[in-house]
Structures are given as C-alpha cells and as structure tokens.
Amino acid sequence: MVPVLRYLGGACGRARGGFPGSFSGVCGPASGRPWPLCGGVRSASSSSFDIVIVGGGIVGLASARALILRHPALSIGVLEKEKDLATHQTGHNSGVIHSGIYYQPESLKAKLCVQGADLIYEYCNKKGISYKQCGKGLMAIDCPYTGIVNYRQVALSFAQDFQEAGGSVLTNFEVKDIEMARESPPRSIDGMKYPIMVKNTKGEEIQCQYVVTCAGLHSDRISELSGCNPDPQIVPFRGDYLLLKPEKCYLVKGNIYPVPDSRFPFLGVHFTPRMDGNIWLGPNAVLAFKREGYRPFDFSARDAKDLIANSGLIKLISQNLSYGVSEMYKACFLSATVKHLQKFIPEITITDILRGPAGVRAQALDRDGNLVDDFVFDGGVGDIGSRILHVRNAPSPAATSSLAISGMIADEVQQRFEF
C-alpha cells in the first residue's frame, strides 16, 4: 500500500478590485497562453522549470508564492486548466476568515486556522485588500476575530507576488499526464536535467525537476498519474446559498454560525455578510453529480460513474441516510431552510430570501466511508514518486489557512526534495 502522510498534529500594480472580474493593473490571460501579470512568460511548448505547481487555486498560488520567496533562485511555474485563476473552490468561497473556534482544540486544523487568520489579516493590511472583522438566539459565543474577505482577490494578489518574484503562470493547461522522461539520460536544457514531463490535453508539455500538485476537486485523479493509491477519493458536495433581500440585510450585523455537528466537517447553515453588502445564508451540503457542477441538475457521466463505484460513498450514505435526506429536502424546499434560520433570527420569513450562488466542496473520503477531515499529503511510487508532492486533501478552512498551509508545503518540499 502506498504510504500516505497524514499530518494529524502538531510589478504590475497593487491587487485591487472585486469579485468575480479582474482588477486594475492586471492583464487578463491570453487564450491558451500564459497568464501575463508582468509579461516575459515562456510559452507552454518550450517551458522548463525547477518546480511545477499544478493548480491555480488559493492553496496552489499561496504555495507557489511561498516557495519562490524562500528559494528565489529556482524557476517555478504554476499550471491551471481554466482560462482564469481561482475560479472553483476559491472563487465560490463564502469569504469567511475563520477563527478556529469550531474545530477540535490542538488539532492541526485548528492551529493552522488560527495562524492562517492572523496571516491573512496581516497580508490584507499590507496589500491594501479590504476586509471586515466582524441575532437573537438561545446562547452565543462572541468571536471578534472572525471576518470576511474576497478570497479570489487574495488569491490573485498571491499570483501577482509570485510573478513579480520571477514565477510563471500558465492557464488553459489541463494536465493529462505526468511521467518520467523516456530518454536516458533525461533531456538537458542549459546544462540542467529535467526528468519529468507534464503533458496537457493539447499535446503541449512542460519539463521540470519536481512537481507539487494542489488540484482541489481533481486531486485524487492527478495523484493517480504518479501511481498513488486511489484513496482517499474526492466526493463533490454542492453547497447552495440563499440571499437575504437588501431591505432585510440590516438584521445581520456579523457572521452567525450554529454549533457544528461533530460527525461531519460541514459547519451548517450560517449567516455570512459579504464585502459587497449582500448577506449569504447557507450553505447546505448535497451530493453533486459533477465535480464542477454549480447548478442542481449539472451532470457528468464520468463523475457519476466514479461516485457509483465508490464503496466508501455507499457506506457513508447507508450510515447517514437521514442526514442526507434532510439536506436534500432543505435544498428543494426553502421553507425548511427558513425554519432553521429562524432559530437565529426569528424575523426572517420566506418572502425575505432569494436563491443565490453555489459552491462545490472537494471532500476526501476513504474506502471505509469516513470523511477525511484533515490535511493529507502523498507522493507516489518508483522514481517519479520521489519527485512529486501531492496535496490530496486541504479541507475547509483552507482559504483561511492558505498562508499557513503554504508554509507547511514549502517545508515538506524542502525536506522531501532536499533543497
């Protein structure tokens, strides 16, 4: 069995602007080409790097930034399959800066959350990124360190830092294969050996010495390319949000969370003020039949087939059938969700809400049906396994913890690859 390392303890102008569009000072990506913040980026057909980061979400970008700031002499490239950065879990994030109060004390998740929140506030202050630090009920705990921010803006600022330090970002690069170069000795460019080939769906390839993958919803599939064990597998859960009508937004002064169910990693339906003044209510947690399916009836035959074949999922459903049915019922009938919301703010009625956006959570699941609720790193087998680090699970609150997680990843890269 492949060992899985589980950590269970201890120059373009400043990034500004809103979600989801780009901000001033940042060029948009050329179709199928590099994402040019500062220009001078090599084309995909001829690029070679010391390290390649697969995944342009907030964890991948934070990790790329941490690595190049720590090792400025290395050439580092980020590969993203979409035409824009931070479009999936990062772009659909509710924007909460978590305080860590919801998590098991002394767990790595709680420690990274606390450390990450401090780092995010410090980073936003330094970069001039706006944030806000923030009902009636039976009982409440005031947690003033919880806040909100536009995480896509934060992620794009990470990308800007990375490129200003000499890094390269290539979008429209969907990784199809990662393999050792067939020729022996491996090909050399400028006297440096690049034994790993990263190929995309268009037939383009990147040569590199090492690979770090932060592929989110596709982390299990990417890790299998280097011979990793298929477990834990990613199961997509869609979270639907409701919107509070503008005339009723005065009812919510800050983030309001229920006491989470300790059996699940989901935090339950909550109230989240957004940077644009909107109030998001939710989300629920329902099984999605498409990994990037943000609408109720989005469907992918491949993703659905993987779900049906997932023995762990069958066990999870059988053990938690009532919870799953309850979540699906709330997704279909707004009155059920409103009844839950009224426990916190009794004045809210069904006429005060509208259906809103949705996000998809990449939830790692083991073959015994257990939801993996902490960070999982992996490598692979053979020669290629010693040159790859897979971030197989970076669960919520990965956005809050992104800077702290990136430090951990940079430490692991330095140790594993002996920099």
Side-chain angles (χ1 to χ4, degrees):
M1 181 175 180
V2 178
V4 176
L5 176 61
R6 293 175 184 264
Y7 291 87
L8 298 177
C12 290
R14 180 154 296 176
R16 299 183 183 277
F19 172 83
S22 60
F23 44 77
S24 61
V26 177
C27 309
S31 178
R33 297 290 81 183
W35 199 77
L37 280 173
C38 300
V41 186
R42 293 161 287 188
S43 66
S45 60
S46 63
S47 287
S48 59
F49 300 99
D50 295 314
I51 303 176
V52 159
I53 312 289
V54 177
I58 195 167
V59 173
L61 293 170
S63 300
R65 173 184 178 273
L67 283 169
I68 203 165
L69 292 179
R70 189 178 295 190
H71 304 283
L74 296 179
S75 61
I76 303 176
V78 171
L79 309 181
E80 167 56 41
K81 75 183 184 69
E82 304 294 350
K83 67 187 179 85
D84 291 313
L85 297 172
T87 60
H88 289 294
Q89 291 190 104
T90 305
H92 291 82
N93 192 289
S94 64
V96 176
I97 302 174
H98 292 275
S99 64
I101 194 173
Y102 321 103
Y103 309 112
Q104 185 68 31
E106 302 304 316
S107 69
L108 177 67
K109 194 171 185 178
K111 291 177 181 178
L112 286 176
C113 191
V114 172
Q115 180 185 358
D118 289 339
L119 291 173
I120 284 290
Y121 284 127
E122 181 181 346
Y123 182 83
C124 289
N125 285 329
K126 180 179 178 180
K127 293 292 181 176
I129 297 175
S130 298
Y131 65 87
K132 294 180 181 178
Q133 201 164 347
C134 309
K136 298 178 181 178
L138 298 177
M139 185 179 295
I141 299 175
D142 182 23
C143 187
Y145 294 103
T146 299
I148 52 174
V149 73
N150 183 330
Y151 277 119
R152 185 163 189 261
Q153 185 180 357
V154 173
L156 295 180
S157 184
F158 289 166
Q160 188 162 349
D161 294 345
F162 172 65
Q163 285 203 309
E164 287 176 346
S168 303
V169 177
L170 283 78
T171 56
N172 285 317
F173 195 104
E174 183 174 357
V175 173
K176 180 181 180 181
D177 201 7
I178 304 174
E179 62 183 15
M180 296 295 289
R182 291 187 173 88
E183 61 262 41
S184 183
R187 71 179 63 182
S188 297
I189 301 175
D190 297 329
M192 295 293 293
K193 294 181 178 180
Y194 297 94
I196 297 182
M197 307 295 295
V198 182
K199 300 179 180 180
N200 69 6
T201 53
K202 301 174 185 176
E204 299 171 320
E205 60 185 39
I206 298 289
Q207 303 104 48
C208 62
Q209 297 191 63
Y210 304 100
V211 176
V212 178
T213 72
C214 303
L217 285 160
H218 303 280
S219 60
D220 54 343
R221 292 173 178 170
I222 291 293
S223 64
E224 286 187 69
L225 295 178
S226 66
C228 287
N229 189 295
D231 293 311
Q233 291 182 289
I234 293 298
V235 175
F237 283 90
R238 192 185 71 253
D240 302 305
Y241 287 93
L242 302 176
L243 296 176
L244 193 60
K245 289 183 177 178
E247 59 269 24
K248 289 301 180 76
C249 286
Y250 71 90
L251 292 171
V252 180
K253 306 298 184 184
N255 297 348
I256 304 174
Y257 278 74
V259 176
D261 189 329
S262 60
R263 297 173 300 166
F264 305 101
F266 315 116
L267 294 179
V269 175
H270 45 271
F271 300 76
T272 304
R274 296 278 293 176
M275 293 301 298
D276 59 7
N278 288 326
I279 305 294
W280 285 16
L281 314 173
N284 53 22
V286 296
L287 189 65
F289 289 93
K290 184 177 181 181
R291 294 200 181 194
E292 297 169 6
Y294 300 103
R295 294 170 297 186
F297 299 105
D298 282 348
F299 180 84
S300 163
R302 180 189 180 187
D303 295 345
K305 180 181 177 181
D306 285 351
L307 289 174
I308 294 171
N310 190 330
S311 60
L313 179 61
I314 295 173
K315 294 177 183 178
L316 176 68
I317 293 174
S318 63
Q319 295 166 4
N320 302 280
L321 186 60
S322 61
Y323 181 88
V325 170
S326 174
E327 289 298 295
M328 292 183 67
Y329 183 81
K330 287 190 292 185
C332 296
F333 300 99
L334 295 184
S335 57
T337 302
V338 170
K339 185 177 181 180
H340 182 79
L341 295 171
Q342 287 173 336
K343 295 178 181 179
F344 304 92
I345 301 182
E347 294 89 343
I348 289 180
T349 67
I350 195 168
T351 61
D352 298 327
I353 62 174
L354 302 168
R355 289 196 179 274
V360 179
R361 177 193 183 107
Q363 177 61 55
L365 181 73
D366 68 22
R367 64 178 57 200
D368 294 322
N370 299 312
L371 297 170
V372 180
D373 194 28
D374 233 318
F375 302 93
V376 178
F377 298 88
D378 204 347
V381 296
D383 291 339
I384 197 170
S386 64
R387 291 181 171 271
I388 293 185
L389 174 65
H390 297 292
V391 183
R392 297 198 59 166
N393 192 50
S396 175
T400 297
S401 306
S402 55
L403 287 171
I405 293 171
S406 69
M408 174 189 288
I409 293 173
D411 290 341
E412 180 65 18
V413 166
Q414 187 168 329
Q415 178 180 347
R416 183 173 296 216
F417 301 153
E418 298 181 349
F419 285 148

